[in-house]
């Protein structure tokens, strides 16, 4: 296959491993752990894998004397830059344990594991994908691994290929399933270890020991580059307001990071909307005020960043979606039989009065999206809801009212954008290339240490990569009980934006100035070659979280 000049140069990049992983290691046990909440219930559900200690790798003076180990790997859920480096790190790690170790990749996500679709990942294949974006080396999928049947079916192929460990590279839902699988295999003495790796551009799989999920760094740099370009454009032409929706299913980490990088006029943070119990109209009024204020200064242009998950955080919408979820789940057949033109009215007739009124007030497109199929985890597919258009139109209407009241003089031209898929398969930044390679290599060390139900943990990430700390944390440590599909289930707790954490506080201290004045920042494209202060900086979220001022 023909390669671009950058592809060729990038293939030669050697990710920097934490110094501790460059030689033989020993796993040092820390204190036993507890789940973040609901300890008694989680312990009961995970009798074999609950309460395990944190692990930290330290240098070992004895060289590694390992035997060959066969390992399986699955990419699960949405793409995130760096997945290929997790796999190449894992490959190099198991080859370091023993040159005859083998790596098998299950195709198109967990589905390939259940259906026995796989390829052996040889060095020729791995070398083609080092430092590249995408998950195309083996593909990804969203099949939910949850039933014993699936686990048993998967075990058949693991036995056939003599696989001793399975590495699941995924987000919170996939790692929840990794924990359940680890517990099950342990309970039946299957002899298979299960190790998770923290992936998601959304940045919501993190805690003190998982400082960030991979892919967040690169994806937000890609979005920030284009937001910066748009800001330069709108500051040049001075005639458009750009409404930009940013991916991130639930948490607003991506929008917040991009705001810190680009200093837009407005950035909505869903978690704040929920905490302040704001309505859609409140949000619209706030944006309209800012547009009017800028118009007073002759600035009929600006940028508004909108997190993809906003709708589900507006308290009134949240209640509506919860009732809709139940309604559609309990009346699925009847609803499917209703003529498409009548479906909106059917829903209005079956909702409580309060929710029916909100549903009826929504534009056709948004209402329709809320009634469509959920994803396999039961989530509304928020990436398909055009919140940016909804807000832009509503702000336009509000400004017309304000004009009639003599409170606004200006022009309001809108343009709409959605940045999400553009960033998920970008070539990983140096940070993600190094971090992912280390996560994969570290997963091999966890396999060699014989543990199961652990997530690969590489931390101290704002320091140079050679100083990163490597180890593992029990996945059960991240879990709590939540209602899913009408029943309480153990799941990894999503890390939402915390309003008392440094990144949000930084943003909140600056946003009034950014709103009225034009303080745009232009981060430019990701740089792979050049000075470390340009090429190797981690996200601003991570830097503020770790004490930057
Ligand atoms: P993961 O949580 O699996 O990493 O996926 C995140 C995400 O990129 C969200 O930001 C987005 O809402 C969703 O995937 C889109 O899903 P799909 O790829 O199925 O369209």
């Amino acid at each position: 296959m023909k390669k671009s000049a950058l592809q060729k140069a990038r293939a030669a990049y050697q990710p920097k491993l934490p110094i501790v992983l460059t030689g033989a290691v020993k796993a040092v046990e820390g204190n036993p752990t507890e789940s973040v909440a609901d300890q008694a219930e989680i312990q009961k559900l995970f009798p074999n894998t609950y309460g395990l200690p944190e692990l930290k790798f330290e240098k070992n003076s004895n060289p590694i004397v390992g035997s060959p180990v066969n390992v399986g790997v699955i990419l699960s859920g949405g793409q995130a830059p760096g997945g290929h480096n997790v796999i190449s790190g894992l490959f190099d790690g198991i080859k370091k344990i023993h040159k005859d170790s083998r790596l098998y990749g299950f195709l198109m996500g967990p589905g390939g594991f259940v259906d026995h679709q796989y390829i052996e990942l040889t060095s020729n294949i791995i070398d083609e994908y080092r430092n590249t974006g995408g998950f195309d080396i083996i593909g990804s999928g969203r099949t939910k691994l949850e039933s014993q049947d699936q686990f048993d079916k998967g075990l058949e192929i693991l036995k056939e290929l003599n696989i001793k460990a399975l590495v699941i590279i995924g987000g919170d839902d996939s790692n929840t399933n990794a924990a359940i699988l680890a517990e099950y295999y342990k309970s039946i003495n299957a002899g298979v270890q299960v190790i998770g790796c923290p992936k998601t551009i959304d940045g919501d799989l993190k805690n003190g020991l998982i400082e960030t999920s991979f892919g967040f760094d690169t994806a937000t740099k890609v979005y920030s580059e284009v937001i910066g370009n748009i800001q330069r454009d709108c500051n040049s032409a001075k005639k458009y307001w750009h409404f930009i929706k940013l991916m991130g299913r639930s948490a607003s980490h991506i929008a917040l990071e991009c705001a810190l990088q680009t200093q837009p006029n407005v950035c909505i943070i869903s978690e704040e909307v929920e905490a302040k119990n704001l309505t859609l109209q409140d949000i619209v009024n706030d944006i309209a005020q800012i547009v009017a204020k800028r118009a007073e200064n002759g600035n009929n242009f600006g940028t508004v960043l909108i997190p993809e998950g906003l709708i589900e955080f507006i308290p009134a919408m949240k209640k509506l979606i919860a009732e809709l979820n139940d309604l559609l789940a309990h009346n699925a057949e009847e609803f499917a039989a209703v003529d498409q033109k009548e479906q909106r009215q059917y829903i209005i007739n079956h909702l409580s009065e309060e929710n029916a009124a909100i549903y009826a007030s929504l534009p056709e497109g948004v209402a329709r999206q809320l009634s469509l199929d959920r994803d396999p985890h039961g989530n509304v597919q928020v990436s398909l809801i055009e919140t940016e258009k909804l807000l832009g139109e509503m702000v336009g209407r509000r400004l017309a009212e304000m004009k009639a009241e003599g409170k606004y003089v200006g022009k309001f031209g809108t343009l709409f954008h959605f940045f999400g898929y553009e960033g998920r398969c970008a070539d990983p930044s140096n940070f993600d290339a190094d971090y992912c390679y280390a996560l994969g290599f570290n997963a091999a060390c966890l396999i060699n240490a014989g543990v199961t139900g652990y997530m690969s943990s590489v931390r101290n990430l704002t320091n140079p990569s050679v100083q990163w700390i490597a180890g593992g944390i029990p996945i059960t440590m991240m879990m709590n009980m939540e209602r899913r599909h009408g029943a309480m289930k153990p799941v990894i707790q999503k890390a939402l934006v915390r309003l008392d954490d440094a990144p949000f506080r930084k943003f909140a201290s600056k946003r009034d100035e950014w709103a009225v004045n034009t303080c745009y920042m232009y981060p430019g494209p990701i740089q792979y070659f050049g000075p470390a202060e340009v090429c190797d900086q981690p996200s601003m979220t991570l830097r503020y979280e770790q004490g930057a001022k």
Side-chain angles (χ1 to χ4, degrees):
M1 205 192 290
K2 212 162 160 19
K3 288 196 174 139
S4 68
L6 181 64
Q7 270 179 298
K8 284 183 204 150
R10 203 55 192 153
Y13 178 76
Q14 183 52 54
K16 302 178 274 299
L17 262 188
I19 200 94
V20 68
L21 296 183
T22 56
V25 292
K26 59 173 183 246
V28 178
E29 289 190 2
N31 295 325
T33 57
E34 288 208 318
S35 57
V36 280
D38 310 311
Q39 290 83 7
E41 286 105 312
I42 307 277
Q43 180 162 26
K44 208 159 146 212
L45 292 164
F46 294 87
N48 296 287
T49 50
Y50 185 86
L52 297 169
E54 287 168 32
L55 294 179
K56 188 173 151 197
F57 289 118
E58 288 184 3
K59 278 211 162 307
N60 193 351
S61 39
N62 304 321
I64 304 180
V65 270
S67 11
V69 57
N70 288 1
V71 172
V73 64
I74 301 175
L75 287 165
S76 181
Q79 284 69 254
H84 290 159
N85 270 27
V86 179
I87 295 182
S88 53
L90 176 63
F91 180 84
D92 292 350
I94 63 169
K95 288 288 182 189
K96 189 164 173 190
I97 296 170
H98 196 284
K99 66 175 180 29
D100 294 331
S101 297
R102 300 172 95 158
L103 183 62
Y104 294 94
F106 291 101
L107 302 178
M108 301 309 294
F113 171 62
V114 177
D115 299 335
H116 301 186
Q117 300 295 314
Y118 66 90
I119 52 166
E120 181 174 355
L121 292 166
T122 57
S123 61
N124 286 346
I125 299 177
I126 295 282
D127 288 348
E128 280 293 303
Y129 289 92
R130 288 180 193 269
N131 308 312
T132 59
F135 278 6
D136 42 326
I137 188 170
I138 47 175
S140 185
R142 291 200 184 274
T143 302
K144 196 166 159 49
L145 272 187
E146 56 183 349
S147 71
Q148 195 173 314
D149 268 8
Q150 291 173 310
F151 300 167
D152 290 336
K153 200 85 206 310
L155 189 56
E156 285 170 18
I157 189 70
L158 297 178
K159 291 286 165 207
E160 194 180 312
L161 298 172
N162 192 25
I163 289 176
K164 292 280 182 284
L166 184 65
V167 175
I168 299 183
I169 303 171
D172 53 342
D173 286 326
S174 311
N175 275 288
T176 292
N177 299 335
I180 296 171
L181 191 62
E183 173 65 30
Y184 177 67
Y185 285 166
K186 188 89 199 251
S187 74
I188 60 167
N189 282 322
V192 178
Q193 300 162 248
V194 183
I195 303 293
C197 276
K199 171 235 70 167
T200 177
I201 61 159
D202 293 2
D204 55 9
L205 177 57
K206 62 176 176 180
N207 59 30
L209 299 170
I210 303 292
E211 294 175 358
T212 187
S213 54
F214 79 75
F216 175 76
D217 186 79
T218 309
T220 52
K221 282 180 173 141
V222 172
Y223 306 145
S224 297
E225 178 206 345
V226 274
I227 294 166
N229 295 350
I230 284 174
Q231 294 191 147
R232 199 65 108 173
D233 192 286
C234 84
N235 198 15
S236 306
K238 302 195 192 292
K239 61 175 181 181
Y240 293 123
W241 271 87
H242 293 262
F243 283 73
I244 305 167
K245 184 174 74 164
L246 292 162
M247 224 178 215
R249 233 213 75 74
S250 191
S252 306
H253 297 291
I254 291 181
L256 178 58
E257 171 67 20
C258 292
L260 292 169
Q261 286 194 37
T262 62
Q263 308 190 169
N265 301 106
V266 180
C267 174
I268 300 162
I269 300 297
S270 306
E271 291 82 344
E272 185 183 27
V273 168
E274 183 169 40
K276 291 187 173 166
N277 204 5
L278 299 182
T279 62
L280 195 53
Q281 197 56 51
D282 293 332
I283 300 169
V284 168
N285 293 347
D286 286 350
I287 301 174
Q289 287 299 337
I290 292 171
V291 173
K293 190 103 196 122
R294 284 179 64 76
E296 276 173 23
N297 305 331
N299 293 326
N300 288 302
F301 65 93
T303 46
V304 180
L305 306 189
I306 302 153
E308 177 185 76
L310 175 64
I311 287 286
E312 287 188 299
F313 281 79
I314 298 172
M317 294 295 290
K318 198 173 184 172
K319 279 192 218 142
L320 164 65
I321 290 170
E323 195 183 341
L324 259 178
N325 283 347
D326 283 351
L327 173 69
L328 297 176
H330 294 138
N331 303 285
E333 266 181 42
E334 192 176 297
F335 181 68
V338 176
D339 187 90
Q340 207 176 315
K341 283 191 248 91
E342 307 299 327
Q343 284 183 341
R344 186 175 169 121
Q345 196 52 48
Y346 172 95
I347 289 177
I348 293 171
N349 294 345
H350 285 76
L351 286 173
S352 63
E353 205 179 318
E354 193 190 352
N355 284 334
I358 298 173
Y359 187 82
S361 74
L362 293 174
E364 181 67 33
V366 177
R368 169 122 201 86
Q369 198 53 54
L370 291 181
S371 66
L372 291 182
D373 283 350
R374 281 20 186 175
D375 78 4
H377 298 278
N379 303 313
V380 174
Q381 301 194 39
V382 283
S383 63
L384 303 178
I385 301 178
E386 296 183 315
T387 342
E388 69 285 18
K389 290 195 182 150
L390 173 69
L391 283 178
E393 279 160 28
M394 289 179 77
V395 169
R397 266 184 258 147
R398 176 70 198 126
L399 287 170
E401 285 168 14
M402 288 167 70
K403 200 169 245 179
E405 293 160 10
K407 293 181 184 153
Y408 165 63
V409 271
K411 284 195 186 126
F412 184 62
T414 47
L415 287 175
F416 303 109
H417 316 264
F418 169 37
F419 299 139
Y421 297 96
E422 294 82 347
R424 296 201 311 184
C425 284
D427 280 346
S429 60
N430 286 353
F431 173 85
D432 269 328
D434 293 352
Y435 181 46
C436 290
Y437 186 79
L439 283 171
F441 198 95
N442 186 56
C445 298
L446 290 168
I447 293 167
N448 201 34
V451 296
T452 190
Y454 275 76
M455 187 178 288
S456 178
S457 155
V458 173
R459 50 190 209 278
N460 206 23
L461 297 174
T462 49
N463 286 304
S465 44
V466 287
Q467 293 170 24
W468 290 352
I469 297 168
I473 66 161
I475 303 178
T476 51
M477 193 181 166
M478 304 173 79
M479 295 179 119
N480 69 167
M481 300 296 290
E482 285 176 25
R483 178 167 289 282
R484 295 284 166 95
H485 298 297
M488 292 306 280
K489 295 265 166 70
V491 292
I492 292 180
Q493 197 177 55
K494 249 190 210 310
L496 300 177
V497 168
R498 288 166 48 149
L499 306 185
D500 53 355
D501 272 359
F504 179 80
R505 283 194 282 118
K506 185 76 186 178
F507 163 71
S509 72
K510 294 284 180 189
R511 63 177 155 189
D512 291 347
E513 190 192 337
W514 297 349
V516 182
N517 302 319
T518 302
C519 309
Y520 302 152
M521 222 161 38
Y522 311 109
I526 294 177
Q527 301 294 313
Y528 299 101
F529 308 99
E533 69 273 19
V534 180
C535 303
D536 296 347
Q537 292 301 321
S539 67
M540 296 184 88
T541 302
L542 203 48
R543 282 186 265 163
Y544 287 130
E545 278 172 352
Q546 301 200 359
K549 293 288 168 224

